[in-house]
Amino acid sequence: MTAIRLLLVDDDPLVRAGLSFMLGGAEDIEIVGEAADGAEVESLVDRTRPHVVLMDIRMPSVDGLTATERLRGRKDAPQVVLLTTFHADEQVLRALRAGAAGFVLKDTPPVEIVDAVRRVAAGDPVLSPTVTRQLMDHAAGTAADTRRARARERLTALNDREREVAVAVGRGLSNAEIAAGLFMSVATVKTHVSRILAKLDLNNRVQIALLAYDAGLLEEAEDDGH
């Protein structure tokens, strides 16, 4: 089994030491580098080639949001998980739209942080359906009509089946749950998700969920009883 290559980024040396101790004990995780600021991230990524970057959102020089945007604009970018102290933070939402794979709270139990790194490395977002809805509700209101119109226009690129999968992703369902609900194989679900990402030029499932929400597809699905 190939170890998950992990880069730690936090301006607090005690936090980095704690994360290093915690995550370094997992047999399938290899910590390939540490940084104290987002300004160091791109050069470290070039040198260490991590699969996942676990990064604090608030740092004094270049914060996690800016560093995430820079990373996700690169070819073959690593997945990014943000560390935060807030459940519903506007900056976190912006980071998710920029392509972060999710976030974990700094007081998350160690076993869950390890699991989060594993999940992101496997391509799954680190957001529960409840937290996803919190974040999306937090963003609702400002220019909502404009966002909905733009999102609906983008989603015209999808066929009916892909739209169904997009809604299911937006509801926070796993591939297995989507497969059972839509009567298809898990492999077919993965194919649909890959096509959605390619057609809409998105980075991950979280962005699919946000776009489905912006377009009002989740509300429509609830009204239809799904």
Side-chain angles (χ1 to χ4, degrees):
M1 179 178 62
T2 303
I4 300 166
R5 298 175 62 82
L6 177 68
L7 175 63
L8 300 177
V9 186
D10 196 295
D11 62 322
D12 188 334
L14 292 179
V15 172
R16 292 201 310 275
L19 290 171
S20 180
F21 178 78
M22 176 199 317
L23 293 159
E27 293 183 357
D28 57 339
I29 296 175
E30 177 187 1
I31 298 173
V32 295
E34 297 183 15
D37 192 82
E40 306 171 46
V41 170
E42 288 190 275
S43 61
L44 268 176
V45 166
D46 288 338
R47 294 202 303 270
T48 63
R49 300 296 178 183
H51 300 120
V52 178
V53 178
L54 183 60
M55 178 158 52
D56 189 11
I57 196 169
R58 287 184 170 85
M59 291 178 286
S61 178
V62 175
D63 62 25
L65 173 59
T66 302
T68 297
E69 292 172 337
R70 291 175 180 175
L71 278 181
R72 296 306 299 173
R74 295 160 53 111
K75 183 179 180 180
D76 300 324
Q79 296 293 341
V80 178
V81 180
L82 293 169
L83 288 164
T84 181
T85 55
F86 296 93
H87 283 272
D89 187 319
E90 180 65 26
Q91 286 189 318
V92 174
L93 179 67
R94 287 175 56 199
L96 295 178
R97 293 189 187 282
F103 74 93
V104 293
L105 300 175
K106 286 194 173 182
D107 60 358
T108 299
V111 65
E112 293 183 21
I113 294 181
V114 173
D115 181 62
V117 170
R118 290 171 175 154
R119 285 173 54 194
V120 167
D124 292 327
V126 185
L127 283 174
S128 70
T130 299
V131 173
T132 301
R133 178 54 64 90
Q134 276 186 325
L135 285 167
M136 291 188 290
D137 285 349
H138 185 66
T142 304
D145 290 341
T146 300
R147 278 206 315 276
R148 176 163 295 198
R150 290 175 178 172
R152 285 181 177 270
E153 176 64 25
R154 290 185 69 185
L155 289 170
T156 58
L158 305 183
N159 61 38
D160 290 343
R161 201 56 162 168
E162 289 165 347
R163 284 171 68 90
E164 288 181 323
V165 172
V167 170
V169 170
R171 292 171 56 206
L173 302 181
S174 67
N175 286 340
E177 290 169 333
I178 296 172
L182 296 181
F183 305 103
M184 61 177 71
S185 69
V186 171
T188 300
V189 173
K190 290 180 179 179
T191 297
H192 281 309
V193 171
S194 295
R195 287 176 178 169
I196 293 168
L197 293 171
K199 284 185 176 182
L200 301 179
D201 192 27
L202 301 175
N203 287 306
N204 54 42
R205 295 167 71 100
V206 174
Q207 289 186 323
I208 295 175
L210 291 170
L211 190 62
Y213 178 83
D214 283 347
L217 297 187
L218 303 188
E219 296 172 17
E220 293 173 1
E222 289 177 358
D223 290 342
D224 291 339
H226 295 104

Short mmCIF file of all heavy atoms in Angstrom, two decimals, residues 181-220:
data_model
loop_
_atom_site.label_atom_id
_atom_site.label_comp_id
_atom_site.label_asym_id
_atom_site.label_seq_id
_atom_site.Cartn_x
_atom_site.Cartn_y
_atom_site.Cartn_z
N GLY A 181 -29.74 4.25 -4.41
CA GLY A 181 -30.90 5.09 -4.62
C GLY A 181 -31.28 5.27 -6.08
O GLY A 181 -32.46 5.43 -6.40
N LEU A 182 -30.30 5.23 -6.97
CA LEU A 182 -30.55 5.45 -8.39
C LEU A 182 -30.47 4.16 -9.20
O LEU A 182 -30.53 4.20 -10.44
CB LEU A 182 -29.57 6.48 -8.95
CG LEU A 182 -29.68 7.89 -8.36
CD1 LEU A 182 -28.66 8.83 -9.00
CD2 LEU A 182 -31.09 8.45 -8.54
N PHE A 183 -30.31 3.03 -8.51
CA PHE A 183 -30.31 1.71 -9.15
C PHE A 183 -29.25 1.59 -10.24
O PHE A 183 -29.53 1.31 -11.40
CB PHE A 183 -31.70 1.40 -9.73
CG PHE A 183 -32.82 1.49 -8.73
CD1 PHE A 183 -33.65 2.59 -8.71
CD2 PHE A 183 -33.00 0.49 -7.79
CE1 PHE A 183 -34.66 2.70 -7.77
CE2 PHE A 183 -34.01 0.57 -6.85
CZ PHE A 183 -34.84 1.68 -6.83
N MET A 184 -28.01 1.86 -9.84
CA MET A 184 -26.88 1.70 -10.74
C MET A 184 -25.70 1.18 -9.93
O MET A 184 -25.75 1.12 -8.70
CB MET A 184 -26.52 3.03 -11.42
CG MET A 184 -26.12 4.15 -10.46
SD MET A 184 -25.62 5.69 -11.30
CE MET A 184 -27.19 6.28 -11.92
N SER A 185 -24.65 0.77 -10.61
CA SER A 185 -23.48 0.26 -9.91
C SER A 185 -22.64 1.42 -9.37
O SER A 185 -22.74 2.56 -9.84
CB SER A 185 -22.62 -0.58 -10.86
OG SER A 185 -22.01 0.24 -11.84
N VAL A 186 -21.80 1.11 -8.37
CA VAL A 186 -20.91 2.12 -7.82
C VAL A 186 -19.96 2.63 -8.90
O VAL A 186 -19.65 3.82 -8.98
CB VAL A 186 -20.12 1.56 -6.62
CG1 VAL A 186 -19.04 2.54 -6.18
CG2 VAL A 186 -21.06 1.26 -5.45
N ALA A 187 -19.50 1.71 -9.76
CA ALA A 187 -18.59 2.11 -10.85
C ALA A 187 -19.26 3.11 -11.78
O ALA A 187 -18.63 4.07 -12.25
CB ALA A 187 -18.14 0.88 -11.64
N THR A 188 -20.56 2.91 -12.05
CA THR A 188 -21.29 3.84 -12.91
C THR A 188 -21.44 5.20 -12.23
O THR A 188 -21.32 6.25 -12.88
CB THR A 188 -22.68 3.28 -13.25
OG1 THR A 188 -22.53 2.03 -13.93
CG2 THR A 188 -23.45 4.24 -14.16
N VAL A 189 -21.68 5.20 -10.92
CA VAL A 189 -21.75 6.46 -10.18
C VAL A 189 -20.43 7.21 -10.31
O VAL A 189 -20.41 8.42 -10.57
CB VAL A 189 -22.08 6.22 -8.70
CG1 VAL A 189 -21.99 7.52 -7.91
CG2 VAL A 189 -23.47 5.62 -8.54
N LYS A 190 -19.33 6.52 -10.10
CA LYS A 190 -18.01 7.15 -10.20
C LYS A 190 -17.79 7.76 -11.59
O LYS A 190 -17.23 8.85 -11.73
CB LYS A 190 -16.91 6.14 -9.89
CG LYS A 190 -16.85 5.71 -8.43
CD LYS A 190 -15.73 4.70 -8.20
CE LYS A 190 -15.65 4.29 -6.74
NZ LYS A 190 -14.56 3.29 -6.51
N THR A 191 -18.26 7.03 -12.62
CA THR A 191 -18.13 7.54 -13.99
C THR A 191 -18.93 8.82 -14.17
O THR A 191 -18.46 9.80 -14.76
CB THR A 191 -18.60 6.47 -15.00
OG1 THR A 191 -17.77 5.33 -14.90
CG2 THR A 191 -18.54 7.02 -16.42
N HIS A 192 -20.16 8.82 -13.65
CA HIS A 192 -21.00 10.01 -13.75
C HIS A 192 -20.36 11.20 -13.02
O HIS A 192 -20.36 12.32 -13.53
CB HIS A 192 -22.38 9.74 -13.17
CG HIS A 192 -23.29 8.99 -14.10
ND1 HIS A 192 -23.52 9.37 -15.40
CD2 HIS A 192 -24.06 7.88 -13.91
CE1 HIS A 192 -24.37 8.54 -15.97
NE2 HIS A 192 -24.71 7.62 -15.08
N VAL A 193 -19.83 10.94 -11.82
CA VAL A 193 -19.20 12.01 -11.05
C VAL A 193 -18.00 12.58 -11.82
O VAL A 193 -17.82 13.80 -11.90
CB VAL A 193 -18.76 11.51 -9.66
CG1 VAL A 193 -17.90 12.57 -8.95
CG2 VAL A 193 -19.97 11.18 -8.79
N SER A 194 -17.20 11.71 -12.40
CA SER A 194 -16.04 12.16 -13.18
C SER A 194 -16.47 13.00 -14.37
O SER A 194 -15.85 14.02 -14.69
CB SER A 194 -15.24 10.95 -13.67
OG SER A 194 -14.67 10.25 -12.59
N ARG A 195 -17.57 12.60 -15.02
CA ARG A 195 -18.06 13.36 -16.17
C ARG A 195 -18.60 14.72 -15.74
O ARG A 195 -18.40 15.73 -16.43
CB ARG A 195 -19.15 12.56 -16.89
CG ARG A 195 -18.61 11.37 -17.68
CD ARG A 195 -19.73 10.56 -18.28
NE ARG A 195 -19.22 9.44 -19.08
CZ ARG A 195 -19.97 8.44 -19.54
NH1 ARG A 195 -21.27 8.44 -19.28
NH2 ARG A 195 -19.43 7.47 -20.24
N ILE A 196 -19.28 14.76 -14.60
CA ILE A 196 -19.79 16.03 -14.08
C ILE A 196 -18.65 16.99 -13.80
O ILE A 196 -18.68 18.16 -14.17
CB ILE A 196 -20.63 15.80 -12.80
CG1 ILE A 196 -21.91 15.03 -13.14
CG2 ILE A 196 -20.97 17.13 -12.13
CD1 ILE A 196 -22.65 14.52 -11.92
N LEU A 197 -17.60 16.48 -13.13
CA LEU A 197 -16.44 17.31 -12.82
C LEU A 197 -15.80 17.86 -14.09
O LEU A 197 -15.44 19.04 -14.16
CB LEU A 197 -15.41 16.51 -12.02
CG LEU A 197 -15.82 16.09 -10.60
CD1 LEU A 197 -14.80 15.12 -10.02
CD2 LEU A 197 -15.98 17.30 -9.70
N ALA A 198 -15.68 17.00 -15.10
CA ALA A 198 -15.05 17.41 -16.36
C ALA A 198 -15.91 18.43 -17.10
O ALA A 198 -15.42 19.46 -17.58
CB ALA A 198 -14.78 16.19 -17.23
N LYS A 199 -17.22 18.15 -17.21
CA LYS A 199 -18.11 19.04 -17.96
C LYS A 199 -18.21 20.43 -17.33
O LYS A 199 -18.32 21.43 -18.03
CB LYS A 199 -19.51 18.42 -18.05
CG LYS A 199 -19.65 17.28 -19.04
CD LYS A 199 -21.11 16.83 -19.13
CE LYS A 199 -21.29 15.76 -20.19
NZ LYS A 199 -22.72 15.34 -20.32
N LEU A 200 -18.20 20.47 -16.00
CA LEU A 200 -18.40 21.73 -15.30
C LEU A 200 -17.11 22.38 -14.85
O LEU A 200 -17.11 23.44 -14.23
CB LEU A 200 -19.32 21.51 -14.08
CG LEU A 200 -20.71 20.94 -14.40
CD1 LEU A 200 -21.50 20.76 -13.12
CD2 LEU A 200 -21.46 21.85 -15.36
N ASP A 201 -15.98 21.73 -15.17
CA ASP A 201 -14.66 22.25 -14.82
C ASP A 201 -14.56 22.49 -13.31
O ASP A 201 -14.14 23.56 -12.85
CB ASP A 201 -14.36 23.54 -15.58
CG ASP A 201 -12.89 23.97 -15.46
OD1 ASP A 201 -12.04 23.07 -15.26
OD2 ASP A 201 -12.61 25.17 -15.58
N LEU A 202 -14.93 21.45 -12.53
CA LEU A 202 -14.88 21.51 -11.08
C LEU A 202 -13.76 20.63 -10.56
O LEU A 202 -13.31 19.71 -11.25
CB LEU A 202 -16.22 21.08 -10.48
CG LEU A 202 -17.45 21.91 -10.90
CD1 LEU A 202 -18.72 21.30 -10.34
CD2 LEU A 202 -17.30 23.36 -10.44
N ASN A 203 -13.35 20.88 -9.31
CA ASN A 203 -12.24 20.12 -8.72
C ASN A 203 -12.68 18.90 -7.93
O ASN A 203 -11.98 17.89 -7.90
CB ASN A 203 -11.44 21.02 -7.77
CG ASN A 203 -10.59 22.03 -8.52
OD1 ASN A 203 -9.81 21.67 -9.39
ND2 ASN A 203 -10.76 23.30 -8.20
N ASN A 204 -13.84 18.98 -7.26
CA ASN A 204 -14.22 17.89 -6.37
C ASN A 204 -15.72 17.88 -6.10
O ASN A 204 -16.46 18.72 -6.59
CB ASN A 204 -13.43 17.97 -5.05
CG ASN A 204 -13.60 19.33 -4.38
OD1 ASN A 204 -14.70 19.89 -4.34
ND2 ASN A 204 -12.51 19.88 -3.85
N ARG A 205 -16.15 16.90 -5.29
CA ARG A 205 -17.56 16.70 -5.01
C ARG A 205 -18.17 17.87 -4.23
O ARG A 205 -19.36 18.15 -4.37
CB ARG A 205 -17.75 15.40 -4.23
CG ARG A 205 -17.36 14.16 -5.00
CD ARG A 205 -17.26 12.96 -4.07
NE ARG A 205 -18.56 12.53 -3.60
CZ ARG A 205 -19.23 11.49 -4.11
NH1 ARG A 205 -18.70 10.80 -5.11
NH2 ARG A 205 -20.40 11.12 -3.61
N VAL A 206 -17.38 18.51 -3.40
CA VAL A 206 -17.90 19.64 -2.63
C VAL A 206 -18.37 20.74 -3.58
O VAL A 206 -19.43 21.35 -3.39
CB VAL A 206 -16.85 20.19 -1.66
CG1 VAL A 206 -17.36 21.45 -0.97
CG2 VAL A 206 -16.49 19.14 -0.61
N GLN A 207 -17.62 20.99 -4.63
CA GLN A 207 -18.01 22.02 -5.58
C GLN A 207 -19.27 21.62 -6.34
O GLN A 207 -20.09 22.47 -6.69
CB GLN A 207 -16.86 22.32 -6.54
CG GLN A 207 -15.71 23.05 -5.87
CD GLN A 207 -14.64 23.47 -6.85
OE1 GLN A 207 -14.34 22.76 -7.79
NE2 GLN A 207 -14.05 24.63 -6.62
N ILE A 208 -19.43 20.32 -6.61
CA ILE A 208 -20.69 19.85 -7.21
C ILE A 208 -21.85 20.17 -6.28
O ILE A 208 -22.90 20.67 -6.70
CB ILE A 208 -20.65 18.34 -7.50
CG1 ILE A 208 -19.59 18.00 -8.55
CG2 ILE A 208 -22.02 17.84 -7.98
CD1 ILE A 208 -19.43 16.50 -8.79
N ALA A 209 -21.67 19.87 -4.99
CA ALA A 209 -22.73 20.12 -4.00
C ALA A 209 -23.09 21.61 -3.94
O ALA A 209 -24.27 21.98 -3.91
CB ALA A 209 -22.29 19.62 -2.63
N LEU A 210 -22.08 22.46 -3.92
CA LEU A 210 -22.33 23.90 -3.85
C LEU A 210 -23.06 24.40 -5.10
O LEU A 210 -23.98 25.23 -5.00
CB LEU A 210 -21.01 24.65 -3.69
CG LEU A 210 -20.30 24.46 -2.35
CD1 LEU A 210 -18.90 25.05 -2.40
CD2 LEU A 210 -21.09 25.08 -1.22
N LEU A 211 -22.69 23.89 -6.26
CA LEU A 211 -23.34 24.32 -7.50
C LEU A 211 -24.79 23.84 -7.54
O LEU A 211 -25.69 24.58 -7.95
CB LEU A 211 -22.56 23.79 -8.71
CG LEU A 211 -23.00 24.35 -10.07
CD1 LEU A 211 -22.79 25.86 -10.13
CD2 LEU A 211 -22.21 23.67 -11.19
N ALA A 212 -25.03 22.59 -7.10
CA ALA A 212 -26.39 22.06 -7.06
C ALA A 212 -27.25 22.89 -6.12
O ALA A 212 -28.43 23.16 -6.40
CB ALA A 212 -26.37 20.59 -6.63
N TYR A 213 -26.67 23.29 -5.01
CA TYR A 213 -27.40 24.12 -4.05
C TYR A 213 -27.70 25.49 -4.65
O TYR A 213 -28.82 26.00 -4.56
CB TYR A 213 -26.61 24.27 -2.76
CG TYR A 213 -27.29 25.17 -1.75
CD1 TYR A 213 -28.29 24.67 -0.92
CD2 TYR A 213 -26.96 26.52 -1.66
CE1 TYR A 213 -28.94 25.50 -0.02
CE2 TYR A 213 -27.60 27.35 -0.77
CZ TYR A 213 -28.59 26.84 0.06
OH TYR A 213 -29.23 27.66 0.93
N ASP A 214 -26.69 26.12 -5.25
CA ASP A 214 -26.88 27.44 -5.84
C ASP A 214 -27.98 27.42 -6.89
O ASP A 214 -28.73 28.38 -7.04
CB ASP A 214 -25.58 27.92 -6.50
CG ASP A 214 -24.56 28.42 -5.49
OD1 ASP A 214 -24.93 28.64 -4.32
OD2 ASP A 214 -23.38 28.59 -5.87
N ALA A 215 -28.09 26.32 -7.63
CA ALA A 215 -29.08 26.20 -8.70
C ALA A 215 -30.48 25.90 -8.18
O ALA A 215 -31.44 25.91 -8.94
CB ALA A 215 -28.65 25.13 -9.69
N GLY A 216 -30.58 25.58 -6.88
CA GLY A 216 -31.88 25.26 -6.31
C GLY A 216 -32.30 23.82 -6.49
O GLY A 216 -33.45 23.46 -6.22
N LEU A 217 -31.38 22.96 -6.95
CA LEU A 217 -31.74 21.57 -7.22
C LEU A 217 -32.07 20.80 -5.94
O LEU A 217 -32.92 19.90 -5.95
CB LEU A 217 -30.60 20.86 -7.96
CG LEU A 217 -30.23 21.39 -9.35
CD1 LEU A 217 -29.22 20.47 -10.01
CD2 LEU A 217 -31.47 21.54 -10.22
N LEU A 218 -31.41 21.14 -4.83
CA LEU A 218 -31.68 20.43 -3.58
C LEU A 218 -33.07 20.76 -3.06
O LEU A 218 -33.78 19.89 -2.56
CB LEU A 218 -30.61 20.75 -2.54
CG LEU A 218 -29.16 20.48 -2.94
CD1 LEU A 218 -28.24 20.67 -1.73
CD2 LEU A 218 -29.00 19.09 -3.51
N GLU A 219 -33.46 22.02 -3.19
CA GLU A 219 -34.80 22.43 -2.77
C GLU A 219 -35.86 21.73 -3.61
O GLU A 219 -36.88 21.26 -3.11
CB GLU A 219 -34.96 23.94 -2.89
CG GLU A 219 -34.05 24.75 -1.98
CD GLU A 219 -34.11 26.23 -2.29
OE1 GLU A 219 -35.08 26.65 -2.97
OE2 GLU A 219 -33.21 26.96 -1.87
N GLU A 220 -35.62 21.64 -4.92
CA GLU A 220 -36.57 20.99 -5.81
C GLU A 220 -36.71 19.51 -5.48
O GLU A 220 -37.80 18.95 -5.51
CB GLU A 220 -36.13 21.18 -7.28
CG GLU A 220 -36.21 22.62 -7.75
CD GLU A 220 -35.63 22.80 -9.14
OE1 GLU A 220 -35.20 21.77 -9.74
OE2 GLU A 220 -35.61 23.93 -9.64
#
